[in-house]
Amino acid sequence: MGDSSRTEAGKAVAIWGAGAAAFAKSAAVARITLRQMMFYKTDFLLRCAFLLMILYVFSQLWSAAYGGGETGSVAGFTLKQLLWYLVFTEALTLAAPPICSRIEQEVKNGDVAMRLVRPISYVLYHYASFLAEAALRFAIHLLAGSLVVWPIVGAPNFGYGWAALLSLSLGALTVTFLMAAAIGLCAFWIEETRGLEFVLQKLQFTLGGMLLPIDLMPDWLQRICAWLPFRAAMYLPARAAVHSGGDHLLRDLGVQAVWLAVLGAIVAVIFRRGAVKLHVNGG
């Protein structure tokens, strides 16, 4: 009995040590990514200018649709809530780095072989880099979007809504990464993944509720969206932010958790099969 207990304790320590080592490696990758991003200030300025233009156009469009009033509501969204919803979805959309293109390029030029021998999981490496870059982009785009919408409809609710946004944003960005990584890893079998990436982006824009909340869509389309992962990557955090009651927060977190498990398993299977194909064919 004593030997069994020591064995179990040893396994627990080994698992804890492996987890701590993976976290330390991921943190190092994130720090390197953030330092590299400091050299691309012009890119940030151009992205922010694009976001400002888009939000200004949509703010004028929806203000006209609401008749200039801030008290009326459409599908439970007031003008103020809808404009801030657009700020959050646009910030999440523009936050995501082009992970599909990066993985595809590494597979095509053979850099993936060097990544595989490094002391960190290939997928985990890209996830740490993706999350660090996405977090910085998200914060900057959120600030830029606020500069347009705040003067028009005022400040958002700084209560539970902001906490809901932050608590769901990590899951949303992770879902986005897993979907993009699954597409990028298809480069092990197909020459170009740009077409699949294009389709994925357009599905996120429409079925994810980026430009239009899912609540404003027809009932039949809402039922379809409920069974797809796109709303977990965009609609859920943005809706939770503007509807600050928090009634559906736990349910939304549960939906994200389910999709993280499903998409994580899909990425793991694709990567394992792709790695086997790489080793068999010589890279």
Side-chain angles (χ1 to χ4, degrees):
M1 192 70 177
D3 292 339
S4 177
S5 299
R6 284 193 294 271
T7 301
E8 293 297 327
K11 290 181 179 179
V13 171
I15 294 173
W16 175 265
F23 178 80
K25 294 171 185 176
S26 301
V29 172
R31 287 195 299 270
I32 294 172
T33 300
L34 289 175
R35 283 199 295 267
Q36 291 174 340
M37 291 179 64
M38 294 299 104
F39 295 100
Y40 298 98
K41 299 181 179 65
T42 304
D43 179 63
F44 278 116
L45 291 175
L46 292 175
R47 284 176 173 273
C48 289
F50 175 75
L51 177 61
L52 292 173
M53 180 184 67
I54 292 295
L55 288 176
Y56 178 77
V57 171
F58 274 102
S59 65
Q60 298 303 308
L61 174 65
W62 282 109
S63 295
Y66 273 80
E70 297 184 15
T71 56
S73 66
V74 177
F77 285 83
T78 64
L79 176 61
K80 179 178 180 177
Q81 288 175 325
L82 186 58
L83 293 183
W84 277 107
Y85 172 91
L86 291 175
V87 171
F88 299 140
T89 56
E90 291 285 349
L92 283 169
T93 300
L94 294 175
I99 189 66
C100 288
S101 301
R102 294 177 184 178
I103 294 178
E104 176 195 298
Q105 192 61 33
E106 288 181 355
V107 174
K108 289 170 65 176
N109 61 24
D111 288 346
V112 64
M114 293 184 291
R115 299 275 191 207
L116 290 176
V117 298
R118 291 186 176 182
I120 183 174
S121 164
Y122 179 79
V123 176
L124 182 59
Y125 169 86
H126 276 291
Y127 175 63
S129 178
F130 174 95
L131 198 58
E133 187 172 349
L136 181 58
R137 286 185 175 190
F138 179 62
I140 293 175
H141 294 147
L142 199 59
L143 177 61
S146 300
L147 296 177
V148 174
V149 174
W150 199 315
I152 297 175
V153 294
N157 298 323
F158 283 96
Y160 194 84
W162 283 100
L165 173 68
L166 295 177
S167 62
L168 289 165
S169 292
L170 176 61
L173 291 172
T174 305
V175 169
T176 298
F177 167 80
L178 290 173
M179 290 190 295
I183 297 297
L185 289 170
C186 290
F188 282 112
W189 293 272
I190 60 179
E191 185 69 19
E192 295 284 345
T193 62
R194 302 295 175 86
L196 295 175
E197 182 183 6
F198 178 83
V199 173
L200 175 64
Q201 289 178 343
K202 299 307 173 282
L203 289 174
Q204 286 181 281
F205 292 170
T206 53
L207 302 182
M210 185 193 78
L211 299 177
L212 186 72
I214 294 178
D215 307 78
L216 275 65
M217 297 179 182
D219 292 337
W220 64 269
L221 189 54
Q222 291 187 37
R223 289 192 291 270
I224 293 176
C225 293
W227 290 95
L228 298 174
F230 307 110
R231 72 185 191 117
M234 213 165 296
Y235 168 74
L236 293 184
R239 184 196 62 178
V242 298
H243 291 97
S244 57
D247 299 333
H248 305 298
L249 180 58
L250 291 179
R251 186 186 68 183
D252 293 345
L253 289 170
V255 171
Q256 284 189 339
V258 169
W259 280 115
L260 289 175
V262 172
L263 293 171
I266 292 173
V267 169
V269 170
I270 294 175
F271 175 71
R272 281 200 299 269
R273 294 188 176 182
V276 169
K277 179 179 176 64
L278 180 70
H279 290 313
V280 170
N281 294 333

